Every structure is written in structure tokens, then in C-alpha cells.
Amino acid sequence: DKISTDVVVIGSGGAGLSAAIEAKNAGLEVIVVEKMAFVGGNTLRATGGLNAAGTSVQEALGIEDSAEVHYADTMKGGYDKNDPELVKAFTDNAADAIEWLLSLGGDFNDVGKLAGSTNNRSHRPSGGAPVGPEVVKTLKTATEQLGIQIMTETTAIEIVAENNVVSGIVAEDKDGKVINIEAKAVILATGGFGANATMLVEWDSALEGFGTTNQPGATGDGIAMATAIGAALVDMEEIQTHPTAVPSNGYMITEAVRGNGAILINRDGKRFVNELATRDVVSAAMLAQEGQTGFLFFDQSVTDSLKAIQDYIYQGIVIDGETIDELAGKLEIDTEALVATVQAYNGFVTSGVDGEFGRNDMPRSLKVSKFYAIEVGPAVHHTMGGIKINNKAEVINVEGSPIVGLFAAGEVTGGVHGGNRLGGNALADIVVFGRIAGKSATEFLNN
Ligand code: ADP
């Protein structure tokens, strides 16, 4: 099969849909290909919010903030490994991205604060609705209204290019039938490689055995396709992990569960690490335990202190018992050992000194029934590195020049987040650079 269009967008997450909408709005013919059966990618799974400074929403709430402070926070959060040109484009355009999403009918009228941000700038739906689905719903509705064709279960396998000039892609439908899509511009928005275990270990051998919080389509296809035609990569070894994800579904358990008093125990019913040590230390300790996972253990007082735990209970990922004995039985671990561990820990809470692992913050003892446990293990969350782009979302080749007609946006690119992505910056990044990619493709086609 052969199809012709102005712009083909690969991937239907936040970046791809934003790009498609901008290009279509500018009068171009746009086709989106998506390898999964559903639209939305990892963007659907995003929690937190969209970081932007100087929005009408902040103003209405009396929050003072500026792109300059957002820039400084992002560089500091990324250990200054970020590409300053990209961070500037990101933080300068983030507020406009929020206004744009609002104009498309999205609800981002609540503003919270996430770690690493000086001011409240994380935009999210009012009433506590999850933010990733709201971004996807807003963008998907707009693509439907604009009549943009999204071909699901269609996997891009190659970008066609000759002499540094792109002319389309080769894709495959679910039956393996080849589809050639001729296009004057290609926008890569395939997301990261957080679900590609082989590729993760290739870039960071310490990630052997890690799970993932990513949707299964996050396999780094865009990175392979782009490098095959000469694209440069940046920061590939910068991979963000989370120490406490649920092994069965990759759901992340907030660090606040430990912060509010939970301990980590292994299958011998023993603690094995300072629960508040850095992410890498806690992750490594967990992988050294039988089953490469541990259990967050806490009591009713911790549960009452944190709203998120109610959600975990509703989702059915929390095991409970009226007594420690009952819980230990359900976890199939030694009751006496667990009782002794909890007794010892409660003693540390009273004395203020963790004689075993040197944990310095022990906010409450664990003695109020019910008792609870969640099985957790370390997982890959976000891949900061990826394809090198400039502030027009043009893909840069290994010689340092743009590949003509090729643009990229979102988690498939590297440089915006440097060595560490701040919570709330990814969702804003994908919308900002998705829009830039759509506009740059338009400009390119009109010249
Ligand atoms: P971002 O946050 O950067 O928008 P997402 O992970 O949300 O990234 O979306 C990327 C989308 O790209 C996912 O829906 C994923 O399934 C899709 N995708 C990945 N590789 C391919 C491919 N080879 N062909 C088509 N779609 C792809």
C-alpha cells in the first residue's frame, strides 16, 4: 500500500497529538500512526501535573511565578546537564501551552507544587482527577474535531531518507502488511525506551532486573529509526528509576508512604535498608532480597495520614490484617520475625535512634490495627536521554546539522531534563515541543 500526505506523525502520546493538531490547524494534511491499539501512550499514565509559569490559572489563584524561575529550577533539578537552549524554549513556551490546552476545553484549573519547584506551577484538573488522561482526552477530542486520521495498530519501522533528506516512512499493520507513507515532513513522537529491558541495560547495566512503570509500547523504536539515518543522541544513560513500584502492573507507590512512616521488609520479615536512603540505594537493596522485591509495611496511623493510600486500597494492591500475625500469614512470612522487627523499629522510634540502619526520620511507631503491606520493587520510570534536537524541534545528525524534514518531540528526545526530570516537567515538555514540531514542519513545508 502507498499513501501520500504532507506530514506523518509517529506516535499518539501527548507530543504526537500536539504536533498533529498544530500542523493540521496550519492547513497541512496529517496522518498519525500508532503501534498500539489505543491512543495516548505513556502520557495516559502520567500523574503529577504540567509545570508552567505565568499562566492565567496561576494569576487567578494569586500565584506569582516566572519563566526565569522555572528555568532555574529545571536546570538545578537536572544537575545542569540539561541543554540550556532547549530548557529556555521549554520554560518560555510552557504558559502558552497551558492556555492552548484550556482553549481546547481541557481542565487544568488546579495548581499544585511538586518536588524541585520553587513555586506552585503544576497544573492539573480540579477535583483530583488524574492529569495524564485529561491531557490525552483534550488532545484526542481536538484531533477528532479536526478530522485527523490516526492509524492504530500501525507500527513505523523505518524513516525513508536519502542524503540527509527525509521523504516518508515505512510502516506495518497488525497483520504485517507493509504500508509506505510518502510525506514531506516526519515528526517522531514515539516516547522513551522505559519498557525495553535490553536497551535499558545496554545504557545502564545497573538496571538489570528492574521492572517498568511504562506502557509496553515504550520500546525506543524512534531512537533506533532515527539513528539508522544518522541522528545524534544525547544523555542516553540518564534513566530515572523509582524504588517502589508494584511488580504486577508498574503502578508507582509514592515516596510519601515511607516518608509518613512505612518500613520495608523482606521475605524473612526483616528490614534491610534505611527506607529513606536515596532511590538508587533503596533500589539496589531491594534487588538483593529474595524475589527481588520487598514489602512496604505500615499501620492504620500511616494510612490515615496519607490520602494516596486509600487509592491503593481501592485498586486492590494493599494486603491487610487485623493483627501483624494475620498479615504475616497472608504474606507467607515468619510471624515471629515480623513481630520482632516491628517491635525493634518501634523502640527506635521511641529512642529517636535507628540502631539498625540509621534512618533519621521516623515520624510514627507502627502499632495501630489494621496492619498493611504492599509488595514493591524498583522500576524504570523515565528515560531522559534520546534524539538530539534544537529549539525548533529539528533532529540534529551526528555531524551537527539538521536532518531535512525530520522533527522530534517528547520523551523520544534528550536534553530538556538533563540528569534528572522534575515531576510535572515531562507533560509540559511534550506539549510544548509537540507544538513546536508541528509549527516547524509547517514552516518547512511552506518554504
Ligand atoms: P510522549 O510523552 O513523548 O508523547 P508517549 O509514550 O506518551 O510519548 O507516546 C508515544 C507513543 O508512540 C506511544 O503511544 C507508543 O505506543 C507509540 N509508538 C512507539 N513506537 C512506535 C512505532 N514504531 N510506530 C508507531 N507508534 C509508536
Side-chain angles (χ1 to χ4, degrees):
D1 267 35
K2 198 167 191 139
I3 307 174
S4 271
T5 184
D6 292 327
V7 181
V8 63
V9 178
I10 312 176
S12 72
L17 295 181
S18 297
I21 294 167
E22 288 292 11
K24 180 80 180 186
N25 267 332
L28 301 182
E29 220 188 305
V30 183
I31 292 175
V32 181
V33 296
E34 166 56 56
K35 74 170 171 181
M36 304 301 283
F38 63 94
V39 165
N42 262 340
T43 304
L44 266 182
R45 298 192 174 197
T47 58
L50 296 99
N51 289 351
T55 66
S56 60
V57 182
Q58 283 177 312
E59 200 190 325
L61 295 168
I63 300 161
E64 272 183 50
D65 198 9
S66 70
E68 288 69 37
V69 182
H70 188 189
Y71 176 92
D73 287 345
T74 301
M75 293 300 294
K76 184 173 173 223
Y79 313 123
D80 280 314
K81 286 184 183 162
N82 328 47
D83 179 336
E85 176 191 315
L86 295 183
V87 178
K88 177 105 177 52
F90 164 48
T91 51
D92 281 352
N93 289 292
D96 193 55
I98 298 293
E99 307 305 336
W100 185 68
L101 289 171
L102 293 171
S103 78
L104 295 178
D107 172 4
F108 301 96
N109 292 303
D110 182 33
V111 182
K113 186 165 168 170
L114 295 174
S117 288
T118 303
N119 300 310
N120 286 31
R121 68 167 70 99
S122 194
H123 295 67
R124 56 200 186 191
S126 30
V131 66
E134 180 69 12
V135 171
V136 173
K137 188 184 85 188
T138 305
L139 296 172
K140 189 166 173 257
T141 306
T143 59
E144 283 160 6
Q145 282 163 356
L146 288 166
I148 296 170
Q149 187 190 354
I150 303 179
M151 300 168 67
T152 51
E153 293 183 283
T154 305
T155 307
I157 52 176
E158 188 190 333
I159 301 166
V160 184
E162 211 174 320
N163 301 323
N164 204 46
V165 180
V166 162
S167 61
I169 65 165
V170 180
E172 247 176 34
D173 74 6
K174 66 174 191 299
D175 306 316
K177 197 179 76 183
V178 172
I179 308 166
N180 291 295
I181 306 180
E182 246 177 32
K184 297 178 193 92
V186 174
I187 299 177
L188 262 175
T190 46
F193 57 101
N196 185 333
T198 313
M199 197 168 163
L200 289 167
V201 172
E202 235 170 70
W203 289 101
D204 182 355
S205 57
L207 298 179
E208 186 80 60
F210 274 54
T212 185
T213 66
N214 287 227
Q215 67 105 357
T219 46
D221 302 10
I223 291 167
M225 286 187 278
T227 50
I229 61 162
L233 300 178
V234 289
D235 297 341
M236 287 295 286
E237 61 298 332
E238 302 293 350
I239 296 166
Q240 193 166 54
T241 61
H242 198 285
T244 58
V246 177
S248 56
N249 60 6
Y251 200 95
M252 266 193 303
I253 304 301
T254 173
E255 273 156 340
V257 176
R258 279 169 289 146
N260 282 19
I263 57 173
L264 277 168
I265 56 159
N266 62 18
R267 285 178 171 73
D268 297 325
K270 297 200 170 113
R271 287 174 72 210
F272 52 88
V273 69
N274 168 2
E275 290 85 359
L276 303 183
T278 53
R279 286 176 169 201
D280 48 339
V281 170
V282 175
S283 294
M286 207 129 43
L287 288 178
Q289 308 307 308
E290 189 196 330
Q292 302 195 315
T293 59
F295 295 99
L296 283 164
F297 173 91
F298 49 96
D299 73 347
Q300 190 63 43
S301 69
V302 174
T303 302
D304 292 342
S305 75
L306 191 65
K307 237 171 86 184
I309 295 178
Q310 281 311 326
D311 298 336
Y312 305 149
I313 292 173
Y314 289 136
Q315 283 159 21
I317 55 182
V318 183
I319 303 158
D320 63 17
E322 295 295 334
T323 60
I324 297 181
D325 285 42
E326 188 190 336
L327 182 59
K330 288 188 185 171
L331 301 177
E332 295 179 12
I333 60 182
D334 189 315
T335 305
E336 268 169 47
L338 183 57
V339 169
T341 296
V342 177
Q343 251 167 21
Y345 178 77
N346 287 343
F348 300 151
V349 175
T350 310
S351 70
V353 179
D354 175 3
E356 225 176 339
F357 295 103
R359 171 171 172 161
N360 55 19
D361 188 37
M362 297 176 284
R364 40 179 71 80
S365 50
L366 304 170
K367 55 186 175 207
V368 185
S369 169
K370 293 176 164 181
F371 296 93
Y372 300 90
I374 306 175
E375 186 180 0
V376 289
V380 168
H381 184 48
H382 190 95
T383 48
M384 269 86 69
I387 297 167
K388 188 173 170 63
I389 56 166
N390 62 17
N391 61 10
K392 291 154 89 183
E394 295 171 326
V395 173
I396 305 303
N397 68 20
V398 286
E399 266 108 51
S401 355
I403 298 179
V404 180
L406 184 61
F407 306 86
E411 198 176 340
V412 71
T413 69
V416 175
H417 306 290
N420 171 54
R421 181 194 60 93
L422 289 185
N425 265 357
L427 275 183
D429 158 37
I430 63 177
V431 177
V432 166
F433 278 97
R435 295 183 72 202
I436 293 176
K439 289 177 187 171
S440 292
T442 308
E443 203 175 298
F444 167 69
L445 278 165
N446 290 339
N447 276 331

